[in-house]
Amino acid sequence: MASPKGAVITVVGSGLIGRSWAMVFLSGGYKVKLYDSQPGQASKAITEIRTQVLELQEAQMLRGKLSASEQLALLSSHDDLSQALEGAFFVQECVYEDLETKQAVFQAVERHVGEGVVLSSSTSCLMPSSVFSLVQNRTRCLVAHPVNPPYYVRLVELVPHPETLHVVMDTARDLMTEVGQAPVCLRKEIDGFALNRVQYAIIAECWRLVKDDIISVKDIDLVMSEGLGMRYAFIGPIETMHLNAPEGLEDYLTRYRFGMSRVLSSFGPVPEFDGEAAARISKEICELIPGDQEHLSARRERRDQLLMELAKLKK
Ligand SMILES: NC(=O)c1ccc[n+]([C@@H]2O[C@H](COP(=O)([O-])OP(=O)(O)OC[C@H]3O[C@@H](n4cnc5c(N)ncnc54)[C@H](O)[C@@H]3O)[C@@H](O)[C@H]2O)c1
Ligand SMILES: *[C@@H]1O[C@H](CO)[C@@H](O)[C@H](O)[C@H]1NC(C)=O
């Protein structure tokens, strides 16, 4: 990939995720043009990014080789879409999670960019084939799904539209790697992508175990945070199997596959996540962490602080 010097990325939508993407791209030395359809919103976002970037520098957690002021000098805000898209080679969309809004945004974006420009969506739950259905040239479109907060949690899922060119996936993967994210490529689209499919499988079984009164909310969360999560911050489930038998994965399967299948066949149906169980589980978590803003914010701050420490450790 060409050196980022002078290369422009346009971020469309300057909410939580748009601001995070902007900071990630700035850290890689890219010029970032931030656009929002709500007048004044993009310039407000810049003020917020400035504060955060300076705080990160203070905490010695600023990413990239450039100083805070060098990074901030690469950032501009725009209330006019065509101006925001001028010169961009990559567009990252971060507007509301609403299909029609996203479709309209990409239709408008396409009118203002040249043919080589890559169009990327941050959608968490929509399929690329739906998001890009109104785009003329869908070969240049993909989803780049970040994890919140992207500055500390580096995974990005790259998901192609059925027509997306390999070279477009490669461009996105190289860009994400270059700015310090950890991209993974899905070979085709699937509902929930990879991360949420795995996450929902975990949520479902945790929910069933609490609902069926096998374990408390507090203890099932400890199963993850003190057990599986300790490993999963560094090695995935397949490597875990590979390391957990003396001769590696095949040995693991010989020893454990019948047990795994037996346990898996005892899983219950997909939970409804409502009714008496939802009320009871909500009550139980609120006894541990009251659901008011003060307690929730404190726990979010603790989460982000710990994620920051973990990100340091992973480096
Ligand atoms: N928040 C998360 O944890 C998270 C994680 C991964 C992906 N995402 C995805 O990122 C996207 C953005 O989420 P968010 O949490 O930043 O939302 P947000 O509500 O914080 O921000 C959305 C921004 O888009 C702007 N906007 C709305 N319509 C627009 C338009 N037509 N053109 C330009 N700007 C427009 C809004 O003014 C707002 O500033 C969503 O698709 C979401 O699913 C969110
Ligand atoms: C479609 O996009 C691809 C990838 O950016 C590009 O190579 C191609 O020239 C574009 N085709 C048209 C007709 O614009």
Side-chain angles (χ1 to χ4, degrees):
M1 163 155 306
S3 125
K5 222 166 174 51
V8 175
I9 297 177
T10 302
V11 173
V12 178
S14 63
L16 186 67
I17 292 298
R19 296 194 299 268
S20 294
W21 271 129
M23 286 165 56
V24 166
F25 294 138
L26 289 173
S27 77
Y30 286 93
K31 270 191 174 172
V32 176
K33 297 170 97 175
L34 200 49
Y35 166 80
D36 203 287
S37 59
Q38 211 171 302
Q41 181 63 35
S43 70
K44 243 199 286 176
I46 286 202
T47 310
E48 212 162 299
I49 292 171
R50 181 181 307 279
T51 309
Q52 280 197 47
V53 165
L54 291 169
E55 276 174 13
L56 284 163
Q57 177 163 272
E58 191 72 18
Q60 303 198 332
M61 280 302 294
L62 189 68
R63 283 170 55 171
K65 296 194 185 83
L66 303 178
S67 70
S69 59
E70 286 169 326
Q71 293 190 23
L72 291 167
L74 297 168
L75 179 63
S76 60
S77 68
H78 304 265
D79 288 337
D80 178 75
L81 183 61
S82 70
Q83 205 185 65
L85 291 166
E86 215 177 281
F89 78 99
F90 193 94
V91 179
Q92 185 68 38
E93 167 276 317
C94 320
V95 306
Y96 301 133
E97 186 76 349
D98 172 70
L99 180 59
E100 272 145 44
T101 308
K102 288 193 190 287
Q103 286 174 332
V105 164
F106 280 110
Q107 241 183 338
V109 165
E110 196 178 33
R111 281 198 288 272
H112 297 291
V113 297
E115 56 181 51
V117 177
V118 175
L119 307 184
S120 172
S121 172
S122 302
T123 185
S124 325
C125 306
L126 304 168
M127 296 282 258
S129 54
S130 317
V131 171
F132 300 116
S133 62
L134 301 182
V135 173
Q136 302 269 326
N137 184 357
R138 295 181 285 270
T139 67
R140 51 152 130 190
C141 296
L142 80 161
V143 163
H145 172 228
V147 185
N148 197 31
Y151 209 77
Y152 305 120
V153 184
R154 291 167 190 246
L155 185 83
V156 186
E157 293 184 283
L158 303 179
V159 189
H161 181 279
E163 293 167 38
T164 305
L165 296 173
H166 285 296
V167 61
V168 169
M169 293 297 280
D170 291 346
T171 301
R173 198 190 43 217
D174 291 349
L175 169 64
M176 293 303 163
T177 306
E178 196 194 343
V179 298
Q181 296 302 96
V184 294
C185 295
L186 274 66
R187 300 206 175 102
K188 47 178 107 150
E189 65 176 13
I190 184 167
D191 199 11
F193 311 149
L195 181 134
N196 275 326
R197 292 180 77 88
V198 173
Q199 171 165 244
Y200 296 159
I202 293 171
I203 288 176
E205 183 53 13
C206 292
W207 189 271
R208 285 186 290 251
L209 288 171
V210 176
K211 176 174 179 279
D212 295 345
D213 212 18
I214 309 288
I215 193 169
S216 68
V217 164
K218 182 174 180 204
D219 284 357
I220 195 63
D221 272 4
L222 286 172
V223 167
M224 290 304 296
S225 62
E226 293 294 339
L228 293 174
M230 290 294 285
R231 286 199 294 244
Y232 283 167
F234 302 94
I235 62 174
I238 310 285
E239 183 177 345
T240 297
M241 290 194 284
H242 198 40
L243 302 185
N244 272 3
E247 319 266 333
L249 183 71
E250 297 215 44
D251 186 16
Y252 184 92
L253 296 178
T254 310
R255 288 163 192 254
Y256 301 115
R257 72 191 161 103
F258 292 111
M260 277 199 289
S261 297
R262 188 193 69 239
V263 172
L264 282 166
S265 4
S266 72
F267 280 23
V270 175
E272 305 272 355
F273 300 112
D274 67 358
E276 182 272 333
R280 186 159 52 83
I281 292 172
S282 168
K283 184 165 168 274
E284 212 174 315
I285 187 72
C286 286
E287 276 160 15
L288 300 167
I289 303 161
D292 58 83
Q293 277 318 307
E294 195 188 329
H295 285 89
L296 291 178
S297 309
R299 290 298 282 190
R300 288 189 189 113
E301 235 163 77
R302 171 181 180 272
R303 175 199 64 193
D304 292 348
Q305 185 65 40
L306 290 171
L307 282 172
M308 187 156 97
E309 296 295 330
L310 188 59
K312 262 191 229 169
L313 189 59
K314 279 177 78 87
K315 261 202 303 199

